[in-house]
Amino acid sequence: MGPLRENGELLFFPIKNEEEAIIFVNGKRLVLNDGLAHLTLLEYLRGLGLTGTKLGCGEGGCGACTVMLSCYNTVKQRTVHRAINACLAPLYSVEGMHVITVEGIGNQHQGLHPVQETLCNSHGSQCGFCTPGFVMSMYALLRSSKEPPSHEQIEESLAGNLCRCTGYRPILDAFRIFAKTDNTLYSYNASTNTSGDAKVICPSTGKPCDCGERVGNDSKDIGTSHPVYKPLSFSEVDGSFYGNRELIFPPELLSRKPHPLYLTGPRGMSWFRPLNLQDVLDLKSRFPDAKLVIGNTEVGIETRFKSIHYQVLIAATHVPELNILRVKEDGLEIGASVTLTELVDTLKQCIAQRDAHETSACSSFVEQLRWFAGIQIRNFASVGGNICTASPISDLNPLWMAARAQFNIIDCKGSVRTVFAREFFKGYRKVDLRHDEILLSVFLPFTRQGEYVKEFKQAHRRDDDIALVNAGMRVFLEQKDDAWSIVDASLVYGGVAPVSLSAVKTEVFLKGKPWTLQTLQGALQVLQHDIIIAENAPGGMVEFRQSLTRSFFFKFFLCISYNIQQKTQVLLGLPNSYKSAVDPYKRPSSKGVQSYECPLNGTAVGLPVVHLSAKLQVTGEAEYADDIPMPSNGLHAALVLSKKPHARIHSLDDSAAKAVPGFQGFFTAKDVPGGNDIGPTVNDEELFASELVTCVGQVIGIVVADTYENAKIASKMIQVEYEELPAVLCIRDALRAGSFHPNSERFLQEGDVDKCFSSGICYKIIDGEVQIGGQEHFYLEPNSTLIWTADGGNEVHMISSTQAPQKHQKYVSHVLGLPMNKVVCKTKRLGGGFGGKETRSAFIAAAAAVPCYLLRRPIRITLDRDIDMMITGQRHAFLGKYKVGFSQEGKILALDLEIYNNGGNSLDLSFSVLERAIFHSDNVYEIQNVRIKGNVCFTNLPSHTAFRGFGGPQGMLITENWIEHIARVLGKRPEEIREFNFQKEGYVLHYGQKLEQCRLQQVFNELKESCDFDTSRKEVDKFNSLNRWKKRGVAMVPTKFGISFTTKFMNQAGALVQVYTDGTVLLTHGGVEMGQGLHTKVAQIAASALGIPVNSIFISETSTDKVPNASPTAASASSDMYGAAVLDACEQIKSRMAPVAAKNRHTSFSELAQACHMERIDLSAHGFHATPDIGFDWRCGKGKPFNYFTFGAAFAEVEVDTLTGDFHLREVDIVMDLGNSLNPAIDIGQVEGAFIQGLGWCVLEEVKWGDPAHQYVRPGHLFTQGPGTYKLPTVNDIPLKFKVSLLKGAPNQRAIHSSKAVGEPPLFLASAAFFAIKDAILEARKETGHESWFFLDSPATPERIRMACADEFTQPFADSEFCPKLSV
């Protein structure tokens, strides 16, 4: 390390440095050694043992790695506190700064910070993997805010954080107590009210309000009573303090002056940090190919995911000339190193201080940046980096071009030239910069009187998403009498070409024209032929993207016209019904309401107990598989994967890999000590492909090395020679080729379908097809295993992130040729599973077991997010073909159904998924004549697998589609058809099971009353009549979900309960805690059984050497089964203790335990439960596959922007029948989380494969391989009003303590949002005369919504029956 100059000469080698490179982490001073230029801040922190900061995606898209970065700004004379993504920040980029992680703000021993405490108490943490990221995002907001933040600021600060479990509502409720107003959680103020007339307490006012329902005084709040937190103090150096243990900004950093850095990394990597512009230019002259970095938000992606290696990096963060932010009389000068957050702050100041007509461009940039990435990215990414990346979908470049911005460019000799932004972009990621030039600054001119600039963007998701199409538009108008003429215009689009593209012909057409509707129509005609997207363009969605170019311009015309009309009273002939099309989207704070009762059973059952691990999770102390310290001799593993969907392996060459430093071995099928054949139901897979590969991502071998980076580099150097073979890539390909998994056909029949169809009793017979896309699990914690041998290799132990430790045990035993009693698998907790870690995690552990066993060294394998998504399978895509006959009143008479799921290249659980889909293909409707045929398609894609609902949601979604079809044909509301055909108590289902304790009608009635459906319908109809381009829709959808594994032998559970002499209890069972609160519920059951408090119960982990042969934690049945097993064990212990208890009076349970011990009473018991009276015989098609059913119903109201396909959920109301809840707080959390996950499945999350529908993707490859391309719901996608009620007084006699299962049943209720969207689309279609039934595939993404709306803007590109392409 050393200065860059000595005696005026530039130095390019390390010399002794007079001042150390340092960093402060949680108040501790650390010296940064040389040789670490390749490390990210996240890797460094985790290397220090600060594992609370998680690796969720590695691309800044999930927020799990959020930390707070503090640095002193000498210009502003204050410390800046910002949340950043540690996974993208280069380690050396934070030199001289203070990093605070979740461990630094509070812990169990010293006390929790208020942010941690309120999140814990509000049930805002389920699996806990994302929790530290949320904590740090909120913490950074509070530390940086002098005054308490607004609700909007809180929600904006969390938009860059993803949660897969909670549904976000409890997180928002937790953090609202820090907002400006007096905010407590929504709570029912029942404790002080004895009249049975309690009201909801509003979190915005702290007073009773009408945003909730009146409930009886047996309802209780999920959370506890919270104080209102306000900052205790504020200083310009330390920010706001909310506690007395806040870490101050290190005094050393206040007085320390930055110094130049020259540091190195592996493979000849150099990192420079110059302090002045001349040094930057000198470095650029010396290293023309050097990459300038500020936030590393683009370079980090390139190095991690594109394997690009930059030899020289120049950090331009500390160069004053590049950090200029100067407001001039005619515009704003912006240095290239200015961060996007700093830019927004300055633009907002300009808007506040200058005349409105001058800041039209400023306002557009502020609005566009509001939806640009997450706040962690905006805090670190720079203006210049975003410009010079020259992305064709850049949100800002079209605006720079349209707003007449100028770019100042300086060369290595100091010469400056100015280029207009519209001339700067030359091609795909090519700009007008020579090797000896850099971008110095940007000049953004203020707008003139009569000049308007407007931004547009449409993405899959509103928040933190890359654009599908965006635009920057400007028009300069001149008034002549009562008319306006166009002096100049600029229309620039992104996402339509390899570069941001000006609509030149349209611009020419507009100049000199009057601003009239006639001009609008002419411009639209020109624009149609001006911006043309090639049919095979990357990204696809050609028809949608082309229609957006016209929609955006129409919106621009409306926006300017209404602006003119408002200012000058000049009427332009626009109807009032058009105005809502350009109303800016201002999302109010969401509101949550929960209604339930607490029938207490014993000391704990029925109470809303906080998740047992919540405190560990909010402090980052909870350990996950990848957090376990690596043994000193441990190795890291990386998989070698197939790059072809179907091919014969001709040869493998590892010679290049052997040359990688730290390489320890490459292992393939020939090295497997035991069996290479694996599979959860049939052994139709290979651990390592030996001769054939049947999908992209199939494992060919495994590389181990001293570091993960070296293992990954070596794995990419394995040369595989293939002979390509024909591939089947979708269900329709499989149907044409007759490609099905062996013996995977299923058939069920009840009544006589053909006779019904031919008898003439059917008023109508309809048919159709339903396509349902897949869904990625996106558990926040990637698959991970640490495996080692013991006792000279005689035993194998592993810690794995799995829902099925027994399957890991079995797979490893098999591939190593060891008996199962010598293999132990342990799991403490999962960072989410959702079915994805039931079977598809086992082969990963088994692969790592091979080098571990052969080398006798510990091996760690943790998958990168993109690899995890590519190889571990997803929710099955389905194709349903239906034919339905019904009466004139809407009575369903007959159903003939064919369903196919895409199983991928191995059977896995696809057969069972198909079976459950068949069982649920009636949803809740009586159908006397039923014929269902199903089959599992073999395709050359990675094997698909279990996912929450396990085929049930797909079967029910097909059903609800044809229910809607019937309703539209009859001209009735779908809700009428649904209720008219409801199953009733005693009804015999199409597979022979009699319906008992059927509370469907009760649930539906309560929902109708709760949501006031008739009034909502009328209000929506009124809105639609007054608005042409915004439409609202409503829907009510019921569900009935069967509880049990459909494979009988799996319905068994074991538990081990051990009472110690101090009265505490150690409990172990076969279930896995993955955020669903299983351990908490089981502990409550044990506490109530033994008459002790919950805090006397401890559950350490799930382990195959404690409870053997456990079924996977799945099928929503774990609380039922393991709760019953624990109760059995507790009852055994109680019966043994009873004689001792009868002899003497004991003042405490600990006294009793000690007395029993003295009497030599066994205080340990193994409990067992097997679900009784279930079983199904497919040979006769009759039986009782389910123990009972969970019922529910949901109401949804949506608003759709028909010009873009954008939508938001205005209201959701859910009623669930969960019996007597074991823990209502956990159950409501499961309902909300399942609904939001289901919302993703129905309307947001689209999986795209390289198949015939997506030919721009390489065959068989997964396009959606991370949060950058695959979009989960965010905090701003939840309903504005989110209400959940649990049915009261509805015990279930067939489960533990009269409870019901909750994990999977609510997910399907999100289809209410899908059908509400479809209802809104129907209203839009009526405007253009399209009133008949139409198909809408799932997910209902903006593309599908927009194209289904079928108006004059889509008509040139697609007809009204057009269905966008979908991977199925």
Side-chain angles (χ1 to χ4, degrees):
M1 296 184 293
L4 300 181
R5 289 177 170 274
E6 189 175 89
N7 299 322
E9 294 297 320
L10 198 65
L11 301 173
F12 301 107
F13 51 88
I15 63 172
K16 185 178 179 181
N17 192 19
E18 297 176 358
E19 195 168 355
E20 296 171 319
I22 64 168
I23 182 178
F24 277 79
V25 177
N26 295 333
K28 183 178 180 181
R29 186 183 191 273
L30 300 171
V31 176
L32 296 178
N33 295 323
D34 193 18
L36 306 178
H38 63 298
L39 287 185
T40 64
L41 175 60
L42 175 64
E43 291 166 330
Y44 179 74
L45 293 173
R46 292 183 65 79
L48 294 176
L50 297 172
T51 55
T53 310
K54 306 300 184 187
L55 175 60
C57 68
E59 58 179 272
C62 74
C65 64
T66 302
V67 298
M68 189 179 84
L69 183 67
S70 301
C71 60
Y72 190 71
N73 187 314
T74 54
V75 176
K76 297 180 180 179
Q77 294 291 296
R78 65 182 177 87
T79 305
V80 177
H81 307 280
R82 302 288 193 197
I84 66 165
N85 293 120
C87 71
L88 289 178
L91 174 60
Y92 291 150
S93 71
V94 299
E95 193 278 337
M97 302 180 191
H98 188 198
V99 176
I100 296 182
T101 72
V102 69
E103 294 94 340
I105 71 171
N107 57 55
Q108 283 202 108
H109 301 296
Q110 295 178 338
L112 273 59
H113 188 276
V115 172
Q116 298 168 321
E117 186 178 18
T118 183
L119 191 61
C120 172
N121 292 338
S122 300
H123 307 277
S125 180
Q126 289 187 16
C127 85
F129 197 83
C130 70
T131 301
F134 277 94
V135 167
M136 293 312 298
S137 289
M138 187 63 200
Y139 179 76
L141 174 65
L142 295 178
R143 282 294 294 265
S144 62
S145 303
K146 187 173 184 178
E147 298 293 332
S150 66
H151 294 286
E152 290 73 20
Q153 287 174 314
I154 290 172
E155 294 196 10
E156 183 181 357
S157 74
L158 303 178
N161 294 78
L162 295 178
C163 175
R164 200 53 155 161
C165 297
T166 65
Y168 300 105
R169 193 275 311 160
I171 298 173
L172 289 175
D173 277 357
F175 292 157
R176 280 199 179 102
I177 65 170
F178 297 101
K180 285 180 180 176
T181 50
D182 181 6
N183 300 316
T184 54
L185 289 175
Y186 277 99
S187 59
Y188 292 110
N189 191 15
S191 59
T192 59
N193 188 305
T194 59
S195 65
D197 196 30
K199 286 187 176 182
V200 172
I201 304 302
C202 178
S204 296
T205 65
K207 298 177 181 179
C209 69
D210 60 1
C211 59
E213 65 165 9
R214 290 175 179 267
V215 296
N217 62 9
D218 56 352
S219 290
K220 298 184 181 179
D221 172 35
I222 279 183
T224 58
S225 179
H226 288 280
V228 176
Y229 287 108
K230 292 182 179 179
L232 302 176
S233 64
F234 175 84
S235 73
E236 295 292 351
V237 172
D238 294 317
S240 289
F241 278 9
Y242 280 78
N244 55 14
R245 287 189 298 273
E246 300 276 18
L247 293 168
I248 65 170
F249 187 72
E252 179 183 346
L253 297 183
L254 282 175
S255 58
R256 186 176 186 268
K257 292 182 178 179
H259 61 277
L261 289 180
Y262 170 41
L263 297 153
T264 63
R267 295 193 287 168
M269 187 178 181
S270 296
W271 173 279
F272 294 96
R273 188 183 73 185
L275 298 185
N276 60 67
L277 182 60
Q278 188 56 55
D279 281 347
V280 175
L281 299 176
D282 290 344
L283 284 166
K284 187 65 175 168
S285 174
R286 175 68 176 84
F287 303 107
D289 294 326
K291 195 79 171 177
L292 270 68
V293 294
I294 307 296
N296 200 51
T297 53
E298 181 66 24
V299 172
I301 300 296
E302 292 177 335
T303 55
R304 184 178 181 88
F305 295 103
K306 299 179 182 178
S307 300
I308 297 174
H309 178 67
Y310 292 106
Q311 288 287 114
V312 179
L313 294 174
I314 303 172
T317 50
H318 287 56
V319 179
E321 298 92 332
L322 297 177
N323 282 283
I324 290 172
L325 254 177
R326 186 179 297 137
V327 181
K328 298 182 176 181
E329 190 56 37
D330 56 345
L332 185 62
E333 186 178 358
I334 307 158
S337 292
V338 168
T339 67
L340 299 179
T341 295
E342 292 171 323
L343 174 61
V344 169
D345 291 344
T346 302
L347 290 170
K348 287 180 177 178
Q349 291 174 14
C350 289
I351 293 167
Q353 296 169 3
R354 303 188 74 89
D355 292 340
H357 76 266
E358 290 185 302
T359 58
S360 179
C362 297
S363 297
S364 293
F365 274 95
V366 169
E367 188 64 20
Q368 195 75 313
L369 283 165
R370 181 182 169 200
W371 311 116
F372 183 103
I375 198 166
Q376 298 96 323
I377 295 290
R378 298 198 297 272
N379 285 341
F380 220 45
S382 68
V383 171
N386 182 263
I387 290 170
C388 293
T389 297
S391 168
I393 51 174
S394 165
D395 289 340
L396 301 186
N397 289 343
L399 270 177
W400 295 124
M401 294 169 68
R404 301 182 298 122
Q406 300 171 37
F407 296 160
N408 298 315
I409 297 163
I410 187 168
D411 66 15
C412 294
K413 297 177 181 179
S415 300
V416 178
R417 66 185 176 95
T418 300
V419 179
F420 278 100
R422 62 186 294 130
E423 299 169 0
F424 183 72
F425 303 100
K426 298 300 183 183
Y428 179 69
R429 297 191 180 268
K430 293 181 180 178
V431 295
D432 186 13
L433 277 180
R434 299 192 302 269
H435 282 299
D436 63 341
E437 292 181 321
I438 67 169
L439 179 64
L440 176 63
S441 64
V442 176
F443 179 73
L444 176 66
F446 291 129
T447 47
R448 300 160 286 187
Q449 193 82 43
E451 189 172 29
Y452 302 91
V453 177
K454 186 65 181 166
E455 82 297 331
F456 297 95
K457 174 180 178 178
Q458 185 57 48
H460 281 297
R461 183 182 68 199
R462 186 177 294 106
D463 276 300
D464 190 11
D465 194 3
I466 56 176
L468 301 173
V469 177
N470 53 30
M473 298 186 184
R474 179 183 58 85
V475 66
F476 184 26
L477 301 175
E478 185 177 64
Q479 188 174 11
K480 295 179 180 177
D481 299 324
D482 286 340
W484 293 81
S485 62
I486 304 168
V487 178
D488 188 27
S490 181
L491 312 177
V492 186
Y493 290 94
V496 297
V499 66
S500 298
L501 188 66
S502 296
V504 178
K505 295 176 183 176
T506 312
E507 293 171 349
V508 170
F509 171 83
L510 288 170
K511 289 177 184 178
K513 296 284 194 308
W515 189 259
T516 62
L517 288 170
Q518 185 178 359
T519 299
L520 166 67
Q521 294 303 324
L524 288 171
Q525 289 296 320
V526 176
L527 184 59
Q528 180 180 331
H529 304 287
D530 199 0
I531 303 291
I532 298 175
I533 306 174
E535 188 176 347
N536 61 345
M541 299 181 284
V542 172
E543 299 85 359
F544 174 50
R545 288 154 68 192
Q546 294 231 148
S547 74
L548 286 176
T549 62
R550 287 162 57 88
S551 292
F552 284 170
F553 181 70
F554 178 60
K555 276 177 169 276
F556 180 62
F557 180 86
L558 292 179
C559 185
I560 307 308
S561 298
Y562 283 118
N563 196 302
I564 292 171
Q565 194 167 298
Q566 182 181 358
K567 289 181 179 179
T568 66
Q569 307 305 312
V570 174
L571 300 178
L572 297 171
L574 295 172
N576 288 333
S577 62
Y578 281 24
K579 192 173 186 305
S580 62
V582 292
D583 287 342
Y585 178 75
K586 298 294 183 184
R587 178 184 172 89
S589 292
S590 57
K591 301 174 182 177
V593 178
Q594 305 85 43
S595 175
Y596 61 94
E597 62 181 356
C598 291
L600 185 62
N601 188 326
T603 58
V605 169
L607 291 177
V609 175
V610 169
H611 196 292
L612 291 183
S613 295
K615 286 187 178 181
L616 290 170
Q617 290 166 191
V618 299
T619 58
E621 296 170 284
E623 285 188 345
Y624 300 82
D626 193 45
D627 298 335
I628 307 301
M630 185 74 152
S632 58
N633 64 335
L635 298 174
H636 295 263
L639 301 173
V640 177
L641 305 171
S642 165
K643 296 179 180 178
K644 304 294 180 183
H646 191 198
R648 191 176 305 279
I649 300 173
H650 274 193
S651 65
L652 295 173
D653 183 359
D654 64 352
S655 55
K658 289 178 178 177
V660 174
F663 173 86
Q664 295 294 316
F666 172 50
F667 302 85
T668 63
K670 62 181 175 55
D671 300 303
V672 177
N676 192 43
D677 58 323
I678 56 173
T681 53
V682 295
N683 285 14
D684 60 348
E685 304 176 49
E686 288 186 303
L687 178 65
F688 301 129
S690 56
E691 297 179 3
L692 288 175
V693 290
T694 53
C695 73
V696 173
Q698 185 171 351
V699 181
I700 295 173
I702 189 169
V703 168
V704 291
D706 60 341
T707 68
Y708 177 57
E709 183 183 13
N710 286 337
K712 193 156 74 166
I713 292 169
S715 71
K716 292 176 180 177
M717 290 187 173
I718 304 293
Q719 298 298 312
V720 185
E721 197 173 302
Y722 302 96
E723 175 194 342
E724 291 196 57
L725 301 170
V728 175
L729 299 172
C730 65
I731 289 178
R732 294 190 189 277
D733 277 358
L735 296 183
R736 283 189 288 268
S739 179
F740 302 105
H741 283 277
N743 305 312
S744 67
E745 186 175 7
R746 279 300 192 210
F747 181 82
L748 267 185
Q749 181 168 309
E750 176 64 31
D752 193 329
V753 172
D754 290 331
K755 182 179 179 181
C756 183
F757 284 152
S758 62
S759 66
I761 65 171
C762 296
Y763 171 67
K764 294 277 187 181
I765 298 174
I766 57 172
D767 58 63
E769 293 187 353
V770 180
Q771 293 189 124
I772 303 171
Q775 185 183 21
E776 165 58 34
H777 301 86
F778 214 107
Y779 28 73
L780 265 291
E781 176 205 23
N783 275 288
S784 181
T785 289
L786 175 64
I787 187 166
W788 66 96
T789 58
D791 198 22
N794 190 47
E795 303 172 31
V796 175
H797 295 254
M798 73 190 105
I799 296 170
S800 287
S801 56
T802 175
Q803 293 173 239
Q806 188 265 353
K807 276 193 168 54
H808 280 227
Q809 178 193 30
K810 186 176 181 179
Y811 272 46
V812 170
S813 163
H814 178 69
V815 302
L816 298 184
L818 292 174
M820 289 178 68
N821 64 355
K822 293 187 176 183
V823 178
V824 177
C825 180
K826 297 184 177 184
T827 300
K828 185 171 285 289
R829 62 176 59 83
L830 302 187
F834 315 112
K837 295 175 181 175
E838 182 176 345
T839 59
R840 301 314 297 168
S841 59
F843 75 89
I844 300 163
V850 173
C852 168
Y853 188 70
L854 295 177
L855 298 177
R856 298 293 195 266
R857 294 180 69 177
I859 302 291
R860 164 165 280 148
I861 183 166
T862 300
L863 299 186
D864 285 341
R865 175 62 59 186
D866 58 331
I867 300 299
D868 195 306
M869 292 180 72
M870 178 172 66
I871 72 174
T872 58
Q874 299 164 347
R875 185 188 296 278
H876 292 75
F878 267 69
L879 172 65
K881 299 183 178 185
Y882 63 81
K883 184 178 179 182
V884 183
F886 51 92
S887 71
Q888 191 168 0
E889 296 75 27
K891 184 68 176 175
I892 306 163
L893 301 176
L895 168 66
D896 192 7
L897 178 65
E898 294 179 27
I899 53 176
Y900 304 93
N901 65 353
N902 189 331
N905 71 330
S906 72
L907 188 59
D908 192 72
L909 302 177
S910 299
F911 196 27
S912 297
V913 169
L914 178 72
E915 290 178 345
R916 186 173 278 268
I918 290 173
F919 287 138
H920 285 74
S921 287
D922 61 342
N923 194 9
V924 296
Y925 308 116
E926 291 187 357
I927 316 170
Q928 298 302 324
N929 301 287
V930 182
R931 179 170 61 208
I932 306 174
K933 184 182 80 170
N935 217 329
V936 180
C937 296
F938 177 96
T939 59
N940 294 112
L941 298 177
S943 186
H944 295 309
T945 190
F947 198 143
R948 195 179 203 164
F950 205 75
Q954 293 98 315
M956 291 185 283
L957 189 58
I958 293 170
T959 301
E960 293 300 336
N961 267 276
W962 55 254
I963 287 285
E964 289 255 330
H965 197 166
I966 293 171
R968 300 309 178 195
V969 168
L970 293 176
K972 295 176 180 283
R973 288 289 310 164
E975 288 75 20
E976 293 180 53
I977 303 300
R978 291 182 175 118
E979 195 167 6
F980 186 54
N981 287 282
F982 274 175
Q983 295 165 350
K984 299 174 180 63
E985 182 74 17
Y987 175 74
V988 178
L989 302 168
H990 62 286
Y991 43 87
Q993 181 164 349
K994 184 179 180 181
L995 203 54
E996 299 174 323
Q997 298 185 71
C998 179
R999 300 196 178 100
L1000 174 62
Q1001 190 67 60
Q1002 184 182 351
V1003 166
F1004 207 69
N1005 290 344
E1006 184 170 315
L1007 178 64
K1008 280 194 293 185
E1009 182 180 351
S1010 177
C1011 70
D1012 195 357
F1013 182 77
D1014 291 338
T1015 300
S1016 297
R1017 178 75 257 174
K1018 290 174 184 176
E1019 290 175 351
V1020 163
D1021 290 341
K1022 181 179 179 181
F1023 177 89
N1024 291 338
S1025 69
L1026 298 175
N1027 293 274
R1028 170 63 184 93
W1029 303 108
K1030 292 275 181 74
K1031 297 294 181 184
R1032 291 178 182 171
V1034 292
M1036 284 178 64
V1037 175
T1039 189
K1040 171 184 102 260
F1041 195 89
I1043 305 301
S1044 286
F1045 288 98
T1046 53
T1047 302
K1048 183 177 179 178
F1049 80 86
M1050 297 178 73
N1051 294 283
Q1052 57 178 304
L1056 180 63
V1057 175
Q1058 301 171 100
V1059 176
Y1060 293 89
T1061 55
D1062 65 351
T1064 61
V1065 176
L1066 178 63
L1067 193 160
T1068 308
H1069 59 89
V1072 173
E1073 177 58 58
M1074 48 190 174
Q1076 83 281 40
L1078 175 61
H1079 283 357
T1080 306
K1081 287 184 175 181
V1082 165
Q1084 288 177 265
I1085 291 169
S1088 283
L1090 298 173
I1092 58 178
V1094 173
N1095 60 15
S1096 292
I1097 310 290
F1098 179 64
I1099 303 174
S1100 175
E1101 61 190 3
T1102 305
S1103 180
T1104 57
D1105 64 353
K1106 302 295 188 300
V1107 178
N1109 311 318
S1111 294
T1113 304
S1116 302
S1118 296
S1119 294
D1120 290 359
M1121 296 197 307
Y1122 292 111
V1126 165
L1127 183 60
D1128 176 40
C1130 290
E1131 293 296 338
Q1132 293 177 45
I1133 293 172
K1134 282 174 64 181
S1135 67
R1136 297 174 199 157
M1137 298 175 97
V1140 178
K1143 289 181 184 177
N1144 300 294
R1145 294 185 63 182
H1146 300 93
T1147 59
S1148 67
F1149 186 73
S1150 59
E1151 278 190 22
L1152 176 60
Q1154 179 66 38
C1156 289
H1157 178 64
M1158 298 305 293
E1159 293 288 336
R1160 297 186 297 177
I1161 302 297
D1162 183 5
L1163 295 179
S1164 175
H1166 172 259
F1168 183 76
H1169 175 75
T1171 307
D1173 306 323
I1174 57 170
F1176 187 81
D1177 187 348
W1178 278 98
R1179 290 170 296 183
C1180 65
K1182 300 297 177 186
K1184 186 182 179 184
F1186 304 116
N1187 187 30
Y1188 61 89
F1189 297 93
T1190 294
F1191 297 93
F1195 163 83
E1197 180 183 335
V1198 303
E1199 182 173 304
V1200 169
D1201 182 338
T1202 67
L1203 288 169
T1204 63
D1206 203 25
F1207 80 96
H1208 66 271
L1209 265 175
R1210 290 174 48 79
E1211 182 177 350
V1212 165
D1213 198 335
I1214 299 172
V1215 176
M1216 290 295 300
D1217 167 27
L1218 297 183
N1220 290 346
S1221 173
L1222 296 173
N1223 184 320
I1226 284 176
D1227 284 352
I1228 283 181
Q1230 287 292 290
V1231 173
E1232 292 170 332
F1235 183 90
I1236 297 302
Q1237 192 172 70
L1239 182 70
W1241 170 58
C1242 287
V1243 301
L1244 276 176
E1245 302 174 34
E1246 181 169 9
V1247 175
K1248 295 184 179 181
W1249 291 95
D1251 55 24
H1254 303 92
Q1255 298 199 10
Y1256 59 90
V1257 185
R1258 289 177 294 167
H1261 285 254
L1262 179 63
F1263 178 73
T1264 44
Q1265 278 189 248
T1269 50
Y1270 186 80
K1271 298 301 169 181
L1272 274 62
T1274 72
V1275 69
N1276 287 323
D1277 291 307
I1278 71 172
L1280 299 180
K1281 182 179 178 183
F1282 199 0
K1283 182 179 179 183
V1284 177
S1285 303
L1286 303 186
L1287 197 66
K1288 301 175 181 69
N1292 171 36
Q1293 284 80 33
R1294 294 195 60 82
I1296 182 80
H1297 292 310
S1298 301
S1299 64
K1300 278 194 174 185
V1302 66
E1304 294 172 291
L1307 183 135
F1308 175 69
L1309 294 180
S1311 66
F1314 175 87
F1315 290 110
I1317 288 171
K1318 199 169 183 183
D1319 185 50
I1321 294 171
L1322 183 64
E1323 294 302 311
R1325 290 170 68 89
K1326 287 178 181 178
E1327 298 275 4
T1328 51
H1330 303 295
E1331 299 193 24
S1332 61
W1333 163 258
F1334 65 97
F1335 291 98
L1336 183 67
D1337 292 332
S1338 169
T1341 57
E1343 177 193 15
R1344 292 186 177 82
I1345 295 170
R1346 174 67 191 102
M1347 299 311 293
C1349 288
D1351 52 39
E1352 58 264 41
F1353 302 106
T1354 61
Q1355 185 273 328
F1357 313 111
D1359 63 33
S1360 63
E1361 303 307 314
F1362 173 74
C1363 291
K1365 295 172 182 176
L1366 177 68
S1367 286
V1368 291

